DNA sequence: GACAGTCCTGTTTTT
DNA sequence: CAGGACTGTC
C-alpha cells in the first residue's frame, strides 16, 4: 500500500506519531510544531493503514474553528472522505448525543441550548424568586459557581455546603436546575455533564458507543475539564484507543475549570500509553523561540519539552518602554506602518493584549492613520440583542415552555404587558409548578387580571400561535422574515435606529440571509430545520463583524490568539498588575498560567516580536504608574533590544524603575519606588514595594517589619527616605 | 412605558 | 472614564 502521501512531508517525530502502532498516545506538541497536521494525518493513517472505518473515529477539539479546520483537512486527506466520522467540539458532540437520545437524557425533544447571557438572565429571575438580594448574590457569580460545579461533574446533591453562603448558592443551583428542566433549557456546561450522565446511566448505550468509537482523538488535551476527561475515559472504556495531543505549556484555561493534571491522569489511567514529543518548531525565528523557552523555563512542574528550530536567529525582539498608553499605541502603530511600508501586509500584524479593554487606544491610533483593522472578541453576531430577540420568538415557536425566551419577548416590542402582569404570571406559574406560557394560559382562562392586561396577554399568546401556524410550512428564512414582520420587531428596531448609526435592522436582514444560506451539519440532518438552526446559533455564536476578507491589522486578546500565528506580533501592555494581571498575583498557581499565556503570545510570532509597556496608564479614570512585567526580566537580554534608550539607566534597572523617563513628562514627584527604604512616624522603617498613581493621588505600598504591608497616601503620610532603591 | 439621571463596577472565553 | 444596571419621574 502506498502511504507516502501520509508521511512524506513530515519530520521524523511527526512521522513516528502519525504511523505509531495502535494504542494510547500522549503527544506533547510544542507551539508551532505541527500538531493539527499530525492529528489529521493520524486520522488518515488509521483509516487507510489500520483499516478503521470512518464511523469508528471520534475527534474532539475545543473551538468550532479548530473543529471546522480539522473536518476540512480530514475530508481532503482521507481517501474515502470523512463522512461518518464524528469530528467536533466537546459541546457539539455532547449536543449530538443529547439530540439522538433525548428521551434517555430526560429532555424534551425540542430542548434548546442557552448561552451564558440567557443563563444569567434566568439566574437573575431565580434569585429574585427565591427572595434573595441580587447584590449579595450577583447572577454572574451564581452562574460562575454553577458552571464550576458542573465542570467538576457536581450536581447540587453532591455538594456539602460549609457555610450559609454556600448553602444559598446551592439553593440557587437547585432552583436554576428545576427552572431549566421545566423549560427544556440546557446550558453549555449542562451539555457536557448531561451527556456524561447519559452514558453512565445507560449501559447499553455506552456499550454501543464504546464499540463504535474505537479511536478517540483529542486536540488541546491540556484544556480538558473534569467532565470532559471523564467523558473521554468513559467512552474509551477498555477497548477504545486515545490519541491525545496537547501542550502543558499552553494550558491557559485553568480559570474555567480546565486541568493540566489530566495529562498526568491520562498516563496513570492508561498505563500502556506512550508519550511522544514534537519539539521542532517551524514557526518562529530562533530569537523568538529562545525568549519563549527561557520564559517558560520559570514554571515549575512542566512535563519537560524543549522547542528548537533550525531556522535563522532572525531579528531581535524589540522592547519599547512607553511614557503612557497613548504613546504606546502611537509607537506600535508607527511600527506596524513601517512594516507595511517595507512590503508587509496589514493582516500579517497582530496586536495582542491581556484584556479586551486595551484595544481602544490602539483602535484610536489606527483610525488616526486610517489603517484598516479588525478587533476579535467583541459581541458576536448571534449575541446581539436584536438577534437574540428574534431567536427568542423562534424558540417559542418550537417550544412554548422556554421561559427564558418568553421573558425576553413577551413585551418586546412593548405591547402593554408590564411588570405587574408579568409578576402575576410568574406567581401563577410558580404556584402551579409550571412554565410561564402555561401560566399565561391559566391566567387567561381563570385569572383575575385587569381587562387591559388580559387583552394584552391574549394578544401575545395569539401572536405566537398565529406565527406557529403561519410559518409551519415555510422555508427557514421565510419563517424568520415572517416573525420579524408579524411580531413587529422589525418595525420596532427600524423606529429605534432611525437617525442612529447603529444598523440593527441591517443585522435583522443579515439574519434572514444567514438563515437562507444555512445548511445543517451532517449531525443535524435529522432535526427539524428550525431546531437545528437555533442550536447552531447558540453553539456557534458567529464571529464578530461580517467576515471581511479585507487586509486588516488584527487585534485580539492573548487567549483568542491561541492556535494562530503572525509574521509580526506586538505584545502590548506588559506591566505588572496588567500582565500578569493583579488577580493572578493574589491566587496561587495563577502566575504560572499567566506565564503560559505570555508563552502563547510570544510563540505566535514568526519573524518579528515587539513588546511594549507603559510607565503610566490611565485605568478606570486614574493614572497608575506601572512597573514592567516580571516576564520581561525572564527573557535573555541578548535576544531583546530596547528601542528607546532609557535616560541614564541600563536595561536591568530600567525594568524596575520608572523614574528616568517619567521625570520628562510629569512631576516625577516623590522619587519613591520599589526598594526605597522609608521611615514612617508610627510604623518605623520599611521598604516600598509598590507605587500607584501620581500627584495628589499617589500612593505607595510599604512593607513594615512590624505592621506588615500598608498602603499610604503620600500627601498625608509624610514619609522620610532612609535609603533610595537600587 | 419611556427616558433621564445616578450608581457602580470594572480579566481572560468557548461553548 | 465609560458602559451597564437600576431608580425615579412624567
Amino acid at each position: 500500500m502506498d502511504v507516502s502521501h501520509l508521511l512524506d512531508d513530515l519530520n521524523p517525530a511527526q512521522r513516528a506519531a502519525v504511523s505509531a502502532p495502535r494504542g494510547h498516545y500522549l503527544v506533547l506538541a510544542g507551539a508551532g510544531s505541527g500538531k493539527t497536521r499530525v492529528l489529521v494525518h493520524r486520522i488518515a493513517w488509521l483509516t487507510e493503514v489500520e483499516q478503521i472505518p470512518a464511523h469508528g473515529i471520534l475527534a474532539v477539539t475545543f473551538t468550532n474553528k479548530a473543529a471546522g479546520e480539522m473536518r476540512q483537512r480530514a475530508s481532503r486527506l482521507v481517501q474515502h472522505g470523512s463522512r461518518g466520522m464524528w469530528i467536533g467540539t466537546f459541546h457539539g458532540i455532547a449536543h449530538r448525543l443529547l439530540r439522538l437520545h433525548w428521551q434517555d437524557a430526560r429532555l424534551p425533544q425540542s430542548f434548546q441550548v442557552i448561552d451564558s447571557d440567557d443563563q444569567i438572565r434566568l439566574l437573575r429571575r431565580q434569585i429574585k424568586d427565591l427572595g434573595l438580594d441580587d447584590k449579595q448574590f450577583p447572577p454572574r457569580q451564581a452562574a460562575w459557581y454553577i458552571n464550576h460545579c458542573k465542570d467538576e461533574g457536581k450536581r447540587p446533591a453532591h455538594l456539602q455546603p460549609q457555610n450559609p453562603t454556600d448553602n444559598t448558592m446551592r439553593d440557587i443551583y437547585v432552583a436554576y436546575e428545576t427552572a431549566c428542566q421545566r423549560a427544556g433549557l440546557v446550558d453549555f456546561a449542562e451539555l457536557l455533564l448531561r451527556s456524561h450522565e447519559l452514558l453512565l446511566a445507560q449501559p447499553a448505550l455506552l456499550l454501543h458507543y464504546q464499540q463504535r468509537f474505537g479511536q478517540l482523538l483529542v486536540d488541546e488535551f491540556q484544556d480538558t475539564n473534569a467532565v470532559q476527561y471523564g467523558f473521554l475515559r468513559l467512552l474509551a472504556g477498555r477497548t477504545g484507543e486515545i490519541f491525545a495531543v496537547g501542550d502543558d505549556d499552553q494550558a491557559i484555561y485553568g480559570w474555567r475549570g480546565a486541568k493540566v493534571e489530566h495529562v498526568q491522569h491520562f498516563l496513570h489511567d492508561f498505563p500502556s500509553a506512550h508519550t511522544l514529543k514534537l519539539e521542532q518548531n517551524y514557526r518562529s525565528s530562533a530569537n523568538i523561540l529562545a525568549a519563549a523557552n527561557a520564559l517558560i523555563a520559570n514554571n515549575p512542574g512542566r512535563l519537560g519539552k524543549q522547542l528548537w528550530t533550525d531556522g535563522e536567529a532572525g531579528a531581535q525582539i524589540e522592547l519599547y518602554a512607553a511614557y503612557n498608553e497613548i504613546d504606546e499605541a502611537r509607537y506600535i502603530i508607527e511600527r506596524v506602518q513601517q512594516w507595511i511600508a517595507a512590503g508587509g501586509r496589514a493582516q500579517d500584524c497582530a496586536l495582542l493584549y491581556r484584556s479586551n479593554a486595551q484595544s481602544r487606544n490602539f483602535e484610536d491610533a489606527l483610525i488616526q492613520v486610517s489603517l484598516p483593522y479588525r478587533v476579535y472578541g467583541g459581541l458576536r453576531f448571534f449575541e446581539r440583542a436584536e438577534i437574540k430577540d428574534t431567536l427568542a420568538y423562534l424558540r417559542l415557536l418550537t417550544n412554548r415552555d422556554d421561559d427564558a425566551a418568553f421573558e425576553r419577548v413577551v413585551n418586546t416590542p412593548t405591547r402593554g404587558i408590564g411588570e405587574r402582569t408579568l409578576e402575576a404570571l410568574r406567581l401563577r406559574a410558580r404556584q402551579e409548578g409550571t412554565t410561564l406560557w402555561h401560566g399565561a394560559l391559566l391566567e387567561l382562562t381563570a385569572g383575575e387580571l385587569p381587562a387591559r392586561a388580559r387583552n394584552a396577554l391574549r394578544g401575545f399568546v395569539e401572536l405566537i400561535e398565529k406565527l406557529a401556524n403561519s410559518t409551519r410550512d415555510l422555508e427557514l428564512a421565510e419563517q424568520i422574515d415572517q416573525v420579524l414582520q408579524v411580531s413587529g420587531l422589525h418595525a420596532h428596531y427600524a423606529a429605534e435606529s432611525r437617525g442612529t448609526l447603529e444598523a440593527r435592522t441591517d443585522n435583522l436582514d443579515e439574519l434572514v440571509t444567514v438563515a437562507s444560506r444555512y445548511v445543517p451539519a451532517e449531525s443535524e440532518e435529522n432535526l427539524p430545520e428550525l431546531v437545528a438552526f437555533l442550536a447552531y446559533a447558540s453553539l456557534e455564536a458567529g464571529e464578530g463583524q461580517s467576515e471581511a476578507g479585507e487586509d486588516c491589522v488584527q487585534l485580539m486578546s492573548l487567549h483568542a490568539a491561541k492556535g494562530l500565528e503572525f509574521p509580526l506580533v506586538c505584545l502590548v501592555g506588559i506591566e505588572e498588575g496588567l500582565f500578569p494581571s493583579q488577580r493572578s498575583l493574589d491566587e496561587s498557581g495563577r502566575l504560572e498560567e499567566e506565564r503560559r499565556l505570555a508563552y502563547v503570545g510570544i510563540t505566535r510570532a514568526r519573524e518579528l516580536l515587539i513588546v511594549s509597556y507603559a510607565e503610566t496608564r490611565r485605568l478606570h479614570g486614574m493614572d497608575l504608574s506601572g512597573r514592567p512585567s516580571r516576564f520581561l526580566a525572564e527573557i535573555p537580554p541578548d535576544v531583546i533590544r530596547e528601542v528607546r534608550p532609557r535616560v541614564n539607566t541600563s536595561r536591568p534597572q530600567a525594568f524596575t524603575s520608572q523614574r528616568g523617563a517619567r521625570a520628562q513628562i510629569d512631576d516625577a514627584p516623590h522619587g519613591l519606588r520599589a526598594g526605597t527604604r522609608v521611615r514612617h512616624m508610627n510604623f518605623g522603617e520599611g521598604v516600598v514595594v509598590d507605587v500607584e498613581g501620581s500627584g495628589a493621588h499617589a500612593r505607595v505600598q510599604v512593607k513594615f517589619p512590624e505592621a506588615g504591608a500598608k498602603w499610604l497616601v503620600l500627601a498625608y503620610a509624610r514619609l522620610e527616605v532612609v535609603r533610595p532603591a537600587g
Side-chain angles (χ1 to χ4, degrees), chain A residues 24-38:
Chain A
H24 301 298
Y25 291 93
L26 172 63
V27 182
L28 293 175
S33 65
K35 94 187 140 66
T36 311
R37 197 137 185 242
V38 164

Side-chain angles (χ1 to χ4, degrees), chain A residues 284-291 309 311-314 639:
Chain A
S284 310
S285 73
N287 275 335
I288 292 169
L289 212 52
T309 176
E312 302 187 356
V639 300

Side-chain angles (χ1 to χ4, degrees), chain A residues 291 294-295 298-299 354 574-576 578-581 584-585 590-599 602 628-636 640 655:
Chain A
L295 175 97
N298 289 286
N299 267 3
R354 177 65 238 265
I574 312 298
E575 293 138 53
E576 282 292 297
L578 202 61
F579 188 32
S581 75
S584 71
L585 296 174
R590 293 291 201 88
L591 179 64
E592 284 72 29
E593 184 155 312
E594 295 283 303
R595 190 175 280 115
R596 292 193 289 267
L597 197 51
Y599 175 78
I602 294 172
S629 170
R630 66 190 71 194
F631 297 149
L632 280 176
E634 295 172 1
I635 296 175
I640 209 167
F655 280 9

Side-chain angles (χ1 to χ4, degrees), chain A residues 520-542:
Chain A
E522 188 191 327
S523 58
E524 283 161 352
E525 282 164 353
N526 298 322
L527 285 176
E529 202 178 14
L530 182 53
V531 175
F533 181 72
L534 289 169
Y536 163 80
S538 309
L539 285 167
E540 200 156 341

Side-chain angles (χ1 to χ4, degrees), chain A residues 15 66 195 235 336 394 401 445 577 600 626:
Chain A
R15 206 172 289 179
S195 50
L235 209 51
V336 168
L394 297 168
D401 293 328
T445 49
V600 167

Side-chain angles (χ1 to χ4, degrees), chain A residues 250-383:
Chain A
Q250 291 189 68
I252 55 174
Y253 286 110
W255 51 274
R256 70 174 201 220
K259 290 218 167 64
V260 213
E261 292 89 315
H262 292 138
V263 175
Q264 266 99 0
H265 294 170
F266 173 64
L267 294 175
H268 177 261
D269 293 338
F270 299 89
S272 67
H274 302 275
T275 302
L276 304 172
K277 290 181 185 179
L278 303 180
E279 299 177 296
Q280 184 175 2
N281 173 292
Y282 293 96
R283 181 186 292 155
S284 310
S285 73
N287 275 335
I288 292 169
L289 212 52
N293 278 335
L295 175 97
I296 201 67
N298 289 286
N299 267 3
R302 298 172 57 221
L303 291 173
K305 195 168 29 56
Q306 184 80 8
L307 277 182
W308 59 277
T309 176
D310 57 12
E312 302 187 356
Q316 279 186 306
I317 294 166
E318 282 180 25
L319 169 65
Y320 182 71
Y323 297 135
N324 57 31
E325 76 282 1
I326 311 283
D327 178 45
E328 180 185 40
R330 196 218 83 239
Y331 176 80
I332 293 290
I333 301 311
E334 198 177 294
R335 287 296 283 117
V336 168
Q337 284 182 294
Q338 287 168 11
W339 166 276
I340 294 170
R345 289 182 305 177
Q347 66 195 34
D348 291 339
C349 309
L351 269 54
L352 308 183
Y353 32 76
R354 177 65 238 265
S355 72
N356 283 317
Q358 286 168 257
S359 72
R360 265 200 67 153
N361 297 313
F362 296 95
E363 291 186 63
D364 290 347
L366 282 159
I367 290 166
Q368 260 182 29
V369 300
S370 35
L371 255 184
Y373 66 92
R374 181 170 172 197
V375 184
Y376 290 78
L379 201 56
R380 283 170 318 175
F381 184 71
F382 287 109
E383 291 169 358

Side-chain angles (χ1 to χ4, degrees), chain A residues 452-468:
Chain A
R452 181 191 277 266
R454 199 187 168 85
N455 285 334
L457 188 60
R458 179 174 299 119
F460 177 69
V461 168
E462 281 169 359
L463 171 70
I464 296 299
E465 293 295 2
K466 185 172 128 206
L467 274 171

